[in-house]
């Protein structure tokens, strides 16, 4: 709901449980007032906060008032020494700006920004236009609110209303000013095979920066941050989460001023960013999803999960039963032929697996990672009968067929590179940095995107392909395009991501019956921007059943479990060499979109029966994965147990899955207290054969079974009728 006092220029935005209040102060600038638990918006005039922080027009120099004023979009200079939300340079080199209110309007629904992923539908949007007093620049600030969500979506549109060009050096999506900086900050940091590890540190004085400058959201840092009150826990206390709906280089900053206030803002990384705005042009920043929670990190996570499922992920896919796949990568790597693939398919069909995905190595001259990328035509010497033969064999066994692509990349040893070396990002004459022996195609160029679209489309039309795994195995280093002029080289990284979005949009639109999964060397580009096009993403290349508890725990801080692609792989694990029981691997993989990545032909009969049981059990709880609320019960980071719980929206069904990490002497009486159930309903815990109220299960809990190292358990809980 959006309420406006047009006389006082006060704007009250209410979500499900929060209020966000801003107003135009006496100086004409747009000022933050309040963000937190829902309040009575009619009381804004009595707010001590609003009155004491508004600069008075008389009695002091207004140009010196802004270093402590809570601005809704921070400008540069004119008395404010803190980092601005935007920085632009006019032709005479002048950089200072000060934005004042010009107009506002409220529209139904969420804005459609076309080339950028965005909240899809519903809600109402407040648009406030600000005019720079010192130039011809204008900024439109968009605020989209939903009555059924605690997420508010923000972005900014910068317009050059003059005739002369302006060079943007910074264009953040949002700015949030808070009256104090008594917060810690959580980031999801990591590296390849250890993505999204939660790390909480004090903010302190100065600026904390969470960012990626790699041309993608990266393994090292996710485009998410949360500020937490010192009393915030998993289940209680206040926090504010920020999730950028963007897949490129990003930055989120938290700046504690000398006056004790906190400026939280973020968007496209301003390092190595420039954008030329000619007269009349505009620049649209990515959307940022902000979530206030008074119910701790768990409350924030559940709101983000619902937001992504309801407003970001394709509604045709968001709640669709996920394919249960067998992927051949860890079974064969590049060493396969028709017979090997057919044997895996033959072994998979009786187990209940419904989709076979052929991974890297089926195209061009591709027997290792040194050649062939970019040559999207079938290597029929290696794969007799081509893709059609594999697809037909899958169909004969009652299975669907999926295929791996890496459309953004090229090997120098490829027909594509030999014909079009300028298609690759980099400068001629400068030896490029190589990762996995490959270069990045210049998706800032429409002709390159068009070429790849045509090549991939031809393959997808060649036979019955129902699943695509879209991979991306390196990030950007050279940041140079042969086709961009000198003054626009700073636009490359953002233009590249716009090209990725364009290709993703065109392919998913042209092939609506194909299920697309994202991947980036594992979980290197797990973000809201990619979830707009791909309803699930490969969570990590590390499939170890212990390491995955940490990765999935961290990922669930701001993404739904239905978006996490989670596979059972072979032991010893290919990434860690750890040996864990097959049952444990299946249980951990059940907390997401489950699948398999191992050589099924090497399993004995007992192992095959175990996989049959896993798949049958998963089909009983997959609606909880798709639609349920997640409660994190025991952390693998600070206890000997990992445990998570999925609860249906109507509180009638729940699923608990956990793992004991190590055997510890006398660790025999560990109790897990359940969350999310209706305290007044009675429930049956199937595996234990007991009946108890939701109140008892939450307050008294359940005693865990005695398990060996990396032993796991599940409880299926249903309401007594």
């Amino acid at each position: 709901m959006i309420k406006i006092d047009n006389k006082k220029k006060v704007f009250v935005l209410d979500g499900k449980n929060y209020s966000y209040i801003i107003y135009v102060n006496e100086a004409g600038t747009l000022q933050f007032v309040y963000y937190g638990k829902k309040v009575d918006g009619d009381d804004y005039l009595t707010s001590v906060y609003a009155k004491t922080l508004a600069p008075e027009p008389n009695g002091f120099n207004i140009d010196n008032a802004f270093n402590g004023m809570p601005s809704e979009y921070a400008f540069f200079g004119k008395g404010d020494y803190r980092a601005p939300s935007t920085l632009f340079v006019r032709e005479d080199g002048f950089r200072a700006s000060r934005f004042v209110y010009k107009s506002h309007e409220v529209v139904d629904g969420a804005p459609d920004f076309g080339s950028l992923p965005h909240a899809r539908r519903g809600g109402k949007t407040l648009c406030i236009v600000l005019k720079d007093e010192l130039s011809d620049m204008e900024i439109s600030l968009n605020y989209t609110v939903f009555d059924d969500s605690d997420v508010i979506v923000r972005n900014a549109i910068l317009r050059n209303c003059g005739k002369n060009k302006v060079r943007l050096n910074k264009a953040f999506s949002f700015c949030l000013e808070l009256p104090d900086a008594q917060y810690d900050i959580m980031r999801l940091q990591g590296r390849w095979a250890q993505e999204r590890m939660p790390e909480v540190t004090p903010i302190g004085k100065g600026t904390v920066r969470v960012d990626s400058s790699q041309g993608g959201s990266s393994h090292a840092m996710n485009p998410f941050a949360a500020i937490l009150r010192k009393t915030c826990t998993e289940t209680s206390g206040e926090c504010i989460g920020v999730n950028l709906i963007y897949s490129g280089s990003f930055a989120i900053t938290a700046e504690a001023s000398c006056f004790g206030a906190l400026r939280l803002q973020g968007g496209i990384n301003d390092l190595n960013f420039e954008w030329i705005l000619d007269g009349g042009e505009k620049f649209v920043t990515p959307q940022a999803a902000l979530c206030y929670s008074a119910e701790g990190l768990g409350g924030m996570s559940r709101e983000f999960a619902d937001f992504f499922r309801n407003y970001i992920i394709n509604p045709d896919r968001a709640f669709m039963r996920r394919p249960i796949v067998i992927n051949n990568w860890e079974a064969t790597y590049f060493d396969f032929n028709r017979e090997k693939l057919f044997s895996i398919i033959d072994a998979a069909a009786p187990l209940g697996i419904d989709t076979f995905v052929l991974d890297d190595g089926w195209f061009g001259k591709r027997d290792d990672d040194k050649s062939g990328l970019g040559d999207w035509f079938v290597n029929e010497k290696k794969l007799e009968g081509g893709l059609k033969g594999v697809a037909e064999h899958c169909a004969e066994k009652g299975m669907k067929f999926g295929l791996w692509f890496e459309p953004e990349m090229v090997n120098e040893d490829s027909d594509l590179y030999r014909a079009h070396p300028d298609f690759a990002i980099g400068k001629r004459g400068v030896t490029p940095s190589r990762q996995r022996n490959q270069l990045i195609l210049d998706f800032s160029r429409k002709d390159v995107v068009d070429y790849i679209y045509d090549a991939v489309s031809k393959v997808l039309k060649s036979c019955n392909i129902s699943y695509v795994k879209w991979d991306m195995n390196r990030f950007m280093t050279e940041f140079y395009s042969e086709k961009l002029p000198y003054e626009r080289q700073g636009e490359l990284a953002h233009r590249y991501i716009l090209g990725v979005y364009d290709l993703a949009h065109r392919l998913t639109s042209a092939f609506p019956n194909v299920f697309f999964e994202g991947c980036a060397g594992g979980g290197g580009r797990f973000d809201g921007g990619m979830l707009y096009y791909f309803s699930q993403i490969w969570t990590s290349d590390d499939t170890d059943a212990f390491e995955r508890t940490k990765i999935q725990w961290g990922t669930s801080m701001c993404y739904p479990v239905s978006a996490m692609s989670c596979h059972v792989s072979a032991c010893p694990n290919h990434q860690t060499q750890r040996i864990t029981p097959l049952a444990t691997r299946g249980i951990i993989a059940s907390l997401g979109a489950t699948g398999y990545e191992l050589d099924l032909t090497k399993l004995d009969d007992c192992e095959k029966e175990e996989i049959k049981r896993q798949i049958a059990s998963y089909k009983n709880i997959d609606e909880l994965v798709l639609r349920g609320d997640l409660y994190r019960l025991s952390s693998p980071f600070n206890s000997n147990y990992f445990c998570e719980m999925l609860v249906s929206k109507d509180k009638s069904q729940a699923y608990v899955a956990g793992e004991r990490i190590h055997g510890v002497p006398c660790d025999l009486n560990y109790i897990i207290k359940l969350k999310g159930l209706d305290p007044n309903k009675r429930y049956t815990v199937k595996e234990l054969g007991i009946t108890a109220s939701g109140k008892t299960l939450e307050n008294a809990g359940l005693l865990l079974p005695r398990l060996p190292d990396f032993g796991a358990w599940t409880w299926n809980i249903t309401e007594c009728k």
Side-chain angles (χ1 to χ4, degrees):
M1 180 182 295
I2 297 173
K3 295 179 288 186
I4 300 173
D5 184 327
N6 285 298
K7 184 178 179 180
K8 300 292 185 181
K9 292 294 184 295
V10 176
F11 307 89
V12 180
L13 297 89
D14 286 336
K16 187 170 60 175
N17 296 298
Y18 75 86
S19 293
Y20 191 108
I21 304 176
I22 51 181
Y23 86 121
V24 179
N25 62 29
E26 292 86 341
T29 61
L30 188 63
Q31 177 177 324
F32 170 86
V33 176
Y34 175 81
Y35 183 32
K37 283 185 180 180
K38 186 174 284 190
V39 297
D40 187 345
D42 295 334
D43 291 341
Y44 60 81
L45 287 177
T46 63
S47 168
V48 175
Y49 184 19
K51 286 182 174 295
T52 57
L53 287 182
E56 298 293 337
N58 301 313
F60 67 96
N61 185 350
I62 194 70
D63 287 335
N64 295 331
F66 294 95
N67 199 41
M69 197 200 78
S71 173
E72 270 297 281
Y73 200 74
F75 36 84
F76 181 67
K78 299 301 291 178
D80 195 339
Y81 298 109
R82 295 167 295 171
S85 305
T86 184
L87 180 63
F88 51 89
V89 185
R90 297 174 273 293
E91 288 192 319
D92 62 2
F94 191 56
R95 289 169 165 79
S97 60
R98 184 162 72 199
F99 287 92
V100 296
Y101 168 85
K102 179 182 178 181
S103 64
H104 72 270
E105 67 173 339
V106 175
V107 298
D108 289 332
D112 183 344
F113 297 115
S115 59
L116 282 167
H118 51 270
R120 290 181 182 270
R121 62 196 183 281
K124 287 185 177 293
T125 298
L126 169 67
C127 175
I128 300 178
V129 179
L130 307 178
K131 173 72 174 66
D132 186 15
E133 291 185 323
L134 308 175
S135 75
D136 293 319
M137 290 290 290
E138 288 186 356
I139 296 177
S140 296
L141 300 182
N142 294 304
Y143 303 77
T144 301
V145 298
F146 309 91
D147 289 341
D148 62 349
S149 175
D150 279 333
V151 170
I152 181 171
V153 179
R154 295 186 56 182
N155 85 318
I157 301 175
L158 292 85
R159 292 183 177 87
N160 180 2
C161 298
K163 296 180 179 179
N164 299 322
K165 69 180 180 182
V166 170
R167 185 173 72 248
L168 291 178
N169 290 132
K170 186 176 186 180
F172 271 6
S173 299
F174 79 99
C175 178
L176 175 65
E177 302 264 14
L178 297 169
D180 70 85
Q182 299 304 306
Y183 293 89
D184 292 334
I185 186 168
M186 170 187 280
R187 70 201 83 194
L188 299 180
Q189 56 81 31
R191 55 188 176 182
W192 175 79
Q194 283 189 313
E195 297 89 347
R196 291 171 301 284
M197 300 286 108
E199 181 178 82
V200 178
T201 58
I203 290 178
K205 293 293 184 181
T207 301
V208 177
R209 186 177 175 97
V210 177
D211 71 353
S212 166
S213 57
Q214 300 180 28
S217 48
S218 86
H219 298 84
M221 205 68 69
N222 195 261
F224 160 84
I227 56 171
L228 325 175
R229 286 297 189 188
K230 303 294 183 179
T231 56
C232 181
T233 67
E234 178 66 28
T235 57
S236 66
E238 290 186 311
C239 60
I240 296 172
V242 177
N243 202 319
L244 296 175
I245 314 302
Y246 188 60
S247 311
S249 296
F250 73 91
I252 299 171
T253 62
E255 180 181 5
S257 77
C258 57
F259 297 111
L262 181 68
R263 173 173 287 177
L264 183 69
Q265 57 182 338
I268 297 172
N269 197 328
D270 49 325
L271 175 65
N272 196 35
F273 170 81
E274 287 187 342
W275 196 275
I276 303 298
L277 277 183
D278 289 325
E281 290 186 338
K282 67 180 180 181
F283 182 83
V284 180
T285 67
Q287 287 187 332
L290 279 66
C291 179
Y292 168 81
S293 170
E295 298 179 358
L297 292 170
M300 177 196 70
S301 299
R302 289 185 288 278
E303 287 298 322
F304 270 132
D306 282 343
F307 169 73
F308 278 109
R309 292 183 295 202
N310 293 328
Y311 296 110
I312 294 295
I313 297 173
N314 183 340
D316 293 334
R317 300 291 188 187
F319 301 107
M320 186 191 84
R321 174 170 274 181
R322 299 293 193 257
I324 298 177
V325 308
I326 175 66
N327 184 296
N328 72 296
W329 178 242
E330 290 194 10
T332 67
Y333 293 100
F334 294 105
D335 183 20
F336 62 81
N337 54 29
R338 175 187 174 106
E339 287 69 31
K340 280 188 178 182
L341 299 182
F342 281 16
S343 65
I344 294 173
I345 295 166
D346 293 345
L351 304 180
I353 294 172
D354 55 46
T355 303
F356 170 73
V357 178
L358 175 56
D359 212 280
D360 195 356
W362 57 267
F363 53 89
K365 180 189 174 186
R366 186 72 169 172
D367 295 319
D368 52 37
D369 64 9
K370 297 180 176 62
S371 64
L373 269 181
D375 294 341
W376 300 114
F377 53 85
V378 184
N379 181 348
E380 296 208 22
K381 290 183 179 178
K382 181 176 185 177
L383 195 59
E384 182 183 352
L387 298 177
K388 187 175 182 180
V390 182
E392 288 177 346
H393 192 75
C394 286
E396 290 171 4
K397 299 295 180 179
M399 296 175 63
K400 295 180 179 179
F401 176 50
L403 199 59
W404 179 96
F405 287 93
E406 193 170 4
E408 302 163 60
M409 303 293 155
V410 65
N411 286 126
E412 290 157 285
D413 183 5
S414 67
D415 292 349
L416 175 59
Y417 187 82
R418 284 184 283 271
H420 300 285
D422 62 302
F423 275 19
I425 287 174
K427 182 163 180 61
R428 291 298 174 84
V430 177
T431 302
S433 299
R434 300 178 182 90
Q435 185 175 345
R436 206 174 182 251
N437 303 298
Q438 61 196 51
L439 305 178
I440 305 176
L441 290 170
D442 187 355
F443 271 28
S444 72
R445 294 173 50 177
K446 185 178 184 301
D447 58 334
V448 176
V449 175
D450 288 346
Y451 178 92
I452 296 299
Y453 172 78
D454 290 341
V456 173
S457 295
K458 186 176 181 180
V459 175
L460 294 179
K461 292 175 182 176
S462 68
C463 62
N464 190 10
I465 298 170
S466 65
Y467 189 107
V468 164
K469 181 179 178 180
W470 176 321
D471 207 347
M472 190 275 285
N473 276 297
R474 66 155 296 176
F475 291 98
M476 206 174 290
T477 49
E478 274 64 43
F479 292 94
Y480 187 84
S481 169
E482 293 284 350
K483 294 298 182 180
L484 284 175
Y486 159 78
E487 67 273 13
R488 291 189 179 272
Q489 289 295 330
E491 300 177 6
L492 173 62
H494 183 57
R495 287 187 180 275
Y496 173 84
I497 288 297
L498 293 180
V500 172
Y501 291 154
D502 179 45
L503 181 62
H505 170 72
R506 290 164 67 182
L507 285 173
T508 54
S509 299
F511 300 94
N513 295 322
V514 174
F515 187 93
F516 283 81
E517 174 183 281
C519 180
R525 200 165 61 185
F526 201 120
D527 57 65
M530 299 316 297
L531 283 176
Y532 183 83
Y533 304 99
F534 309 145
S535 49
Q536 70 186 48
I537 298 174
W538 184 227
T539 314
S540 177
D541 276 346
D542 191 339
T543 54
D544 176 82
F546 167 59
E547 291 296 321
R548 267 302 185 99
T549 64
K550 296 184 287 184
I551 294 167
Q552 291 171 211
W553 181 279
T555 305
S556 74
M557 286 292 164
C558 56
Y559 301 107
V561 293
S562 60
M564 301 182 211
S565 186
C566 305
H567 285 187
V568 176
S569 61
C571 276
N573 180 266
H574 288 200
Q575 289 76 42
T576 66
Q577 300 304 304
R578 185 179 285 113
I579 296 174
T580 54
L582 178 57
T584 298
R585 286 174 265 156
I587 288 170
I588 301 305
S590 72
L591 292 166
T594 201
Y596 294 83
E597 191 146 346
L598 70 170
D599 191 344
L600 297 173
T601 66
K602 295 181 179 178
L603 301 183
D604 60 32
D605 289 342
C606 290
E607 291 170 321
K608 291 178 181 178
E609 287 300 316
E610 170 61 27
I611 289 177
K612 283 184 183 180
R613 285 193 295 270
Q614 291 174 3
I615 293 172
S617 296
Y618 184 78
K619 289 180 178 179
N620 288 329
I621 58 100
D622 64 351
E623 280 295 306
L624 289 173
V625 172
L626 292 171
R627 300 174 183 272
D629 289 326
L630 177 71
Y631 292 83
R632 293 181 292 264
L633 304 183
S634 184
S635 170
F637 292 97
N638 55 29
S639 80
N640 194 37
Y641 291 88
F642 161 81
C643 189
E644 291 183 345
M645 179 175 179
L646 293 167
V647 182
S648 63
K649 293 290 186 182
D650 65 1
K651 310 292 188 181
S652 67
Q653 183 185 4
Y655 174 70
V656 179
E659 177 180 347
R660 186 191 195 202
I661 298 167
H662 296 302
V664 178
C666 303
D667 181 22
L668 304 177
N669 296 301
Y670 198 86
I671 291 174
I672 290 284
K673 295 182 178 181
L674 307 190
K675 300 292 181 184
L677 299 174
D678 186 328
N680 299 314
K681 290 182 177 180
R682 293 192 67 77
Y683 296 92
T684 296
V685 183
K686 177 183 174 182
E687 289 78 5
L688 302 180
I690 64 171
T691 298
S693 68
K695 184 185 300 183
T696 298
L697 294 172
E698 178 171 352
N699 295 325
L702 294 172
L703 184 65
L704 293 188
R706 297 184 181 184
L707 297 165
D709 283 5
F710 309 115
W713 78 95
T714 60
W715 292 323
N716 285 273
I717 301 170
T718 55
E719 179 186 354
C720 298
K721 299 296 185 181

